[in-house]
Amino acid sequence: ILPSQASFSPSNGRLSGEQVNRAVRRLKDLRGLFADEAAFLAMDPEQIVYEVHAHDACGPVEGGLFFGVSTLFPGKVGQEYFMTKGHIHERRNRGEYYWGIEGRGALVTMNERREATVAVIEPGSLHYVPGNTAHRIANTGNVPLVVGACWPADAGHDYDAIAERGFPVRIVEENGAPVVRNREDERD
Ligand code: 6PG
Ligand code: NI
């Protein structure tokens, strides 16, 4: 019987151990994603918006699985909540599970016809993102949003396809509460 080389806390999402890698995204890495460019430029570009811990021991092989925990810090650019870059998997048909661990947020998805869905993420919520579907999370609360994920190791990330036109909806604060707003420039 061998000791476990990594550990995961289902209560707070802490993922650690030998085969766990940490990636950090700062505000400067999210340029162009938020509607309010002036508000974006007035903020500290070095501030950390989110980090991802991933257990990716098998490498990007077909049939393998990766397990990760994303921690998205609370904050807004103008009225728009902090969010991840968002991506569609490079291997388009690869799906993914997400589940809420701590905090409160939104999972925004978009299919190939640019149809969006928005689901509340909260502790215990479970979300299946099908293949051919872009996904992004936003933190709509005042504490870090901690979200678990499991996805095929060969899925990869395509950020460019999303960066071009973005998602059709934004998650913004209105009268102190999160609302879904259609993008100004979005056409059917
Ligand atoms: C994935 C997952 C997830 C995601 C992070 C950061 O496919 O790897 O969807 O781990 O990468 O939440 O989001 P971005 O990759 O969009 O920056
Ligand atoms: Ni993904």
Side-chain angles (χ1 to χ4, degrees):
I1 299 173
L2 297 171
S4 166
Q5 287 175 302
S7 66
F8 166 69
S9 162
S11 57
N12 66 19
R14 188 173 299 272
L15 183 60
S16 60
E18 272 176 34
Q19 294 154 310
V20 174
N21 297 307
R22 173 175 180 251
V24 166
R25 294 245 200 238
R26 297 172 190 277
L27 197 61
K28 66 183 180 188
D29 302 318
L30 305 177
R31 186 167 202 136
L33 297 185
F34 295 94
D36 192 338
E37 181 79 3
F40 180 89
L41 292 172
M43 294 171 70
D44 174 9
E46 298 299 329
Q47 88 175 92
I48 294 176
V49 178
Y50 60 100
E51 57 182 20
V52 182
H53 287 84
H55 187 271
D56 48 11
C58 64
V61 298
E62 185 173 344
L65 291 170
F66 287 166
F67 181 93
V69 177
S70 298
T71 301
L72 178 56
F73 294 101
K76 283 178 294 173
V77 176
Q79 292 307 110
E80 192 169 8
Y81 295 102
F82 276 7
M83 59 188 175
T84 56
K85 273 184 98 155
H87 62 268
I88 187 162
H89 293 146
E90 208 172 315
R91 289 216 180 185
R92 291 287 190 268
N93 67 3
R94 297 322 197 228
E96 180 164 1
Y97 269 107
Y98 271 81
W99 61 97
I101 297 173
E102 270 185 358
R104 197 174 170 86
L107 169 62
V108 181
T109 74
M110 174 180 70
N111 67 16
E112 285 175 322
R113 293 183 298 282
R114 293 190 62 75
E115 294 161 342
T117 68
V118 182
V120 171
I121 307 174
E122 58 194 352
S125 66
L126 181 66
H127 312 270
Y128 178 64
V129 179
N132 302 297
T133 305
H135 41 287
R136 152 182 291 166
I137 59 176
N139 185 340
T140 57
N142 301 317
V143 299
L145 173 68
V146 183
V147 178
C150 188
W151 66 98
D154 65 351
H157 301 93
D158 184 344
Y159 294 104
D160 295 345
I162 300 309
E164 213 175 297
R165 283 185 68 194
F167 285 71
V169 296
R170 297 185 179 281
I171 312 297
V172 297
E173 187 186 80
E174 231 176 67
N175 304 318
V179 297
V180 179
R181 187 179 288 166
N182 287 317
R183 276 176 63 132
E184 320 67 45
D185 54 352
E186 194 65 22
R187 297 276 178 277
D188 289 331

